[in-house]
Every structure is written in structure tokens, then in C-alpha cells.
Amino acid sequence: MRSRRRRRRIVRRAKKTFINLVFAPARVPRISSDTVDLLMRLCEIAALTFVCVLIVHIVLPQMIKTGIVVISGVAFAGLLGAIWFSDYQRKIEQYRYYGFRI
């Protein structure tokens, strides 16, 4: 009897923790469309920079070190993550319109 209650409590806590993690971006202030446009432009620039730096590094490894390639790649990945985050926030907002309680 105690083990059933304990198991139910553990399952309930795990579900609540999962839901809180999944819907945490809904509690963060929304990223505006102007900011998303700026992020898109910066992400395009970072992608081009990353590709150029990577090509030059492959051709002339002594001219451009690996650290610069890694830094440009991390910048590109970070901007891409911010764009994904804003899309995810928008999707969660749409779920609210369909009646899901967040």
C-alpha cells in the first residue's frame, strides 16, 4: 500500500517536472518579431563567416587556427538556437489558443 502511494507520488512528480521543463520557455519574455528578424540576419552572417573560416582553415591550417573556427561555429549555433527558441515560444503560444493549459 505504501509502495503504491510512493510510486504514484514519484510518477506524479516526474510528470510535473517534465511539464515544467517543456513549458519553461512560455514563462520567459517572448522574443519579438523585430528581434527574430535581426537574429536571422546575424545568423546568416555567422553562417557565411563560419563556412569561409572553415574553408580557409582546411586550405591553410597554419593561417587560421582551430579556435577561430570553433568560435565562429559556436556563434552560429547560438544564434540558430535563439531562433529555434523563439519558434518554440510561438508554438507554445498557439497551444494556448487551442485550449491547452500551460
Side-chain angles (χ1 to χ4, degrees), residues 4 13 15 22 26 34 45 47 57 75 77 79 87 93 98-99:
R4 272 195 234 166
R13 285 180 186 168
K15 284 181 184 177
V22 169
D34 295 334
I45 293 168
H57 175 71
L79 290 168
D87 287 342
E93 191 67 31
Y98 291 124

Side-chain angles (χ1 to χ4, degrees), residues 42-78:
L42 290 174
C43 190
E44 290 171 357
I45 293 168
L48 290 173
T49 304
F50 176 62
V51 169
C52 291
V53 167
L54 186 62
I55 289 172
V56 172
H57 175 71
I58 289 172
V59 174
L60 299 168
Q62 63 273 13
M63 185 174 163
I64 294 193
K65 301 296 180 188
T66 307
I68 297 172
V69 177
V70 170
I71 290 170
S72 63
V74 167
F76 172 63

